Amino acid sequence: MSGVSYLEMLKLAIPETILVIAALAVLAVDLGIMRAEARQYRMILSALISCVGCAAAIFWMFTTEQHANFLNGSGMLVVDPLTQLVQQALLVLTVFTVLISIETNFTDHVGEYFALLLLATVGMMFLVSSENVLMIFVSLELTSLSLYILTAFNKQNVQSAEAALKYFLFGGMAAAFTLFGLSLLYGLTGEINLIQLAAKLKGTALDPLLVVAIVMTVIGFGFKIAAVPFHLWAPDAYQGAPTPSAAFIASGSKVASFFILAKVMMLGFTGAEGSGNWRHYESGWVPVLAILAAGSMLLGNLVAIVQSSVKRLLAYSAIAHAGYMLLGVMVHGEQGFASLLYYAATYGLTTIGAFGVVSVVQEKAGGDSLSDFAGLSRRAPLISFCMMIFMLSLAGIPPLAGFFGKFYLFTAAIGTDPKNLGLLWLVAFAIAMSAVSLYYYLQVLKQIYVVDAPSNAPAIRTPLSSKVALGLLALGVLVLGAAPNLVLERLLAAIKSVGY
């Protein structure tokens, strides 16, 4: 480690440092000064500090574009336009999670909650800026440990502790698989940098040890993205966790996990792709992901139909969307990577919005079942309209962001090998499953707009912070649907600049 400039490292990690300082500030203010004050004031002040920290980190990245690979190209800390763009998306998702948390009352440990939210974001930011298997594993665990605790944060609800325990056990198992797969790769190549690792693997046969390494790594990441058959933790975790925590797990962790999964596959396993094309099957990681994608789309969409809890419905919907997003990883090119990131970012915004509406209803009605949404349009027209936009976007209805996300993703998948129909079989399956998904999204809207509210239904007063957050999220889904190039062009330029 001689010759290492820690000052240079600190400079590259300033956005993460800002967030850590914000997390410590939240703790210091809440525990040291505001502990005796009313919980509402503590929530507002902690949220304000958190948002200022995120905004300062985003501002720093906008003003100082960098392109560096710390520690002589080891991949421990890679800062380039693409990672900065993804980090900015993660910070935006964190801000919206903070905003929908303000009016909730699931905990009195306000400072600890917001500090953990920020620390989980730090883990995700390090995760996306790493091309080194050791750093990837450490960042994954930093993120996961924060998310386990956030899941268990509602001490008044036994389901919260149960959900966290399941999430922790499945997460621990995923970590073991990931570590085993990455250890085998190190044993095969003697390298821990993804690019150098791929160079060592180039030209070698797909021997059994490499196959096991690929399968173990895919299993590990399969848990993180909740792909079938590694999805079992997701419905219980989403339902039992406090709603803002569930929103953060469904959005921020999804964006970070898919980004690093694509990086590992595209950079680390170059040359071992194989093919999942129709009648042109070749062994490799692409056919493995194709099976996971088809299973996720099928099970996620079919099981979501019979859910009566909206949070569980969104959980199975998330499993199905993981299947769609795997298509972008399989394409493993510029177009595929850009469409994957666009889809993940817009899905993150939409799903935070949907959970934000669920949070408001749950706080006032005491539950998240479909019947709790009956007649919501007459009781809270603004958030009902926002929910309509979120549901239709998730279903892929034009001209919303969800439609263009699917359009770009499917177009990229079809274009992989036009002569042999490429992944057309999987795209056709995905379109059929999207049609199925429309049914359960419309079930939510039917409750909101068609079914009358019970006579004893409580009034819904939407807090100002939730109105602002949900309104901005709905507007973002509309704008990104009407003008997708606002994000896509930046993504493509960033991807080209780093040479993927």
Side-chain angles (χ1 to χ4, degrees):
M1 299 287 284
S2 61
V4 174
S5 170
Y6 289 99
L7 189 61
E8 183 65 21
M9 183 185 74
L10 188 62
K11 189 180 170 189
L12 291 175
I14 280 181
E16 290 87 350
T17 308
I18 291 173
L19 277 204
V20 172
I21 292 171
L24 295 176
V26 167
L27 278 176
V29 170
D30 187 63
L31 298 178
I33 303 171
M34 299 289 291
R35 201 62 169 177
E37 300 295 329
R39 196 182 60 81
Q40 186 61 26
Y41 294 126
R42 292 165 56 206
M43 290 290 276
I44 292 172
L45 188 57
S46 298
L48 185 63
I49 296 171
S50 304
C51 289
V52 168
C54 292
I58 292 173
F59 180 74
W60 175 266
M61 283 189 270
F62 266 118
T63 53
T64 56
E65 277 196 8
Q66 301 194 60
H67 203 132
N69 192 333
F70 184 68
L71 272 178
N72 302 322
S74 68
M76 294 290 276
L77 186 60
V78 178
V79 180
D80 56 43
L82 182 60
T83 57
Q84 286 190 324
L85 208 52
V86 178
Q87 286 178 337
Q88 288 162 12
L90 290 172
L91 288 165
V92 170
L93 295 175
T94 306
V95 168
F96 280 114
T97 307
V98 167
L99 289 177
I100 66 169
S101 303
I102 292 175
E103 292 290 336
T104 54
N105 61 0
F106 60 85
T107 183
D108 289 327
H109 299 278
V110 175
E112 295 91 324
Y113 169 74
F114 284 105
L116 276 168
L117 208 56
L118 293 174
L119 291 176
T121 308
V122 171
M124 291 177 198
M125 290 172 72
F126 276 124
L127 184 63
V128 301
S129 62
S130 176
E131 292 175 4
N132 180 294
V133 293
L134 276 180
M135 192 64 184
I136 288 171
F137 184 76
V138 171
S139 305
L140 265 178
E141 290 313 294
L142 173 59
T143 305
S144 300
L145 289 172
S146 303
L147 294 181
Y148 301 149
I149 303 170
L150 286 172
T151 305
F153 229 81
N154 188 353
K155 289 186 177 177
Q156 300 153 4
N157 182 4
V158 70
Q159 281 188 329
S160 181
E162 182 187 338
L165 182 62
K166 285 182 182 174
Y167 192 13
F168 172 71
L169 292 175
F170 278 105
M173 205 156 54
F177 277 112
T178 308
L179 194 57
F180 187 41
L182 298 178
S183 303
L184 285 176
L185 284 174
Y186 177 69
L188 282 167
T189 61
E191 298 290 348
I192 54 174
N193 178 289
L194 288 177
I195 295 171
Q196 292 162 7
L197 193 149
K200 286 283 180 72
L201 289 176
K202 192 175 182 180
T204 60
L206 202 61
D207 64 53
L209 206 55
L210 180 57
V211 171
V212 174
I214 291 174
V215 170
M216 291 294 119
T217 309
V218 169
I219 289 174
F221 282 105
F223 277 105
K224 299 296 178 190
I225 61 171
V228 170
F230 316 112
H231 66 285
L232 294 173
W233 62 272
D236 291 333
Y238 281 37
Q239 188 179 24
T243 307
S245 301
F248 194 55
I249 294 168
S251 56
S253 79
K254 209 100 172 177
V255 172
S257 299
F258 266 100
F259 182 74
I260 198 62
L261 172 63
K263 247 186 174 182
V264 169
M265 293 298 160
M266 288 169 58
L267 292 182
F269 292 137
T270 303
E273 296 92 346
S275 172
N277 293 347
W278 185 250
R279 295 183 178 176
H280 289 81
Y281 169 86
E282 290 176 27
S283 297
W285 56 264
V286 169
V288 176
L289 293 190
I291 294 167
L292 295 189
S296 301
M297 287 185 268
L298 181 68
L299 187 137
N301 282 311
L302 293 185
V303 180
I305 290 174
V306 296
Q307 299 304 313
S308 57
S309 156
V310 177
K311 284 170 82 175
R312 283 186 83 83
L313 183 151
L314 289 172
Y316 282 103
S317 155
I319 294 166
H321 281 278
Y324 304 137
M325 282 187 260
L326 280 173
L327 278 168
V329 183
M330 281 183 269
V331 175
H332 59 86
E334 277 179 15
Q335 291 292 336
F337 203 15
S339 58
L340 168 67
L341 294 178
Y342 177 83
Y343 193 100
T346 53
Y347 171 78
L349 287 176
T350 311
T351 202
I352 281 190
F355 273 106
V357 175
V358 174
S359 178
V360 172
V361 173
Q362 197 172 20
E363 289 288 326
K364 306 301 176 190
D368 68 305
S369 64
L370 281 170
S371 58
D372 291 318
F373 287 74
L376 186 68
S377 61
R378 270 81 74 192
R379 294 185 285 161
L382 177 63
I383 64 168
S384 298
F385 180 70
C386 293
M387 192 63 160
M388 182 175 70
I389 290 175
F390 301 140
M391 291 292 107
L392 294 180
S393 181
L394 287 171
I397 301 296
L400 301 170
F403 167 76
F404 284 101
K406 282 182 180 164
F407 176 77
Y408 289 125
L409 208 53
F410 296 166
T411 305
I414 292 172
T416 49
D417 185 4
K419 288 182 181 175
N420 297 316
L421 296 181
L423 294 168
L424 182 61
W425 67 275
L426 198 53
V427 172
F429 186 70
I431 292 171
M433 286 296 108
S434 291
V436 171
S437 74
L438 189 58
Y439 175 80
Y440 57 81
Y441 291 128
L442 288 180
Q443 283 295 313
V444 179
L445 296 181
K446 177 186 168 189
Q447 290 291 326
I448 293 173
Y449 281 99
V450 178
V451 177
D452 288 328
S455 56
N456 60 348
I460 302 284
R461 185 190 67 81
T462 309
L464 179 62
S465 57
S466 295
K467 274 184 187 173
V468 171
L470 296 174
L472 287 174
L473 285 164
L475 184 64
V477 172
L478 281 168
V479 169
L480 290 177
N485 281 340
L486 285 176
V487 172
L488 264 174
E489 283 183 359
R490 285 194 69 195
L491 279 172
L492 277 168
I495 290 169
K496 282 178 182 168
S497 73
V498 296
Y500 281 97

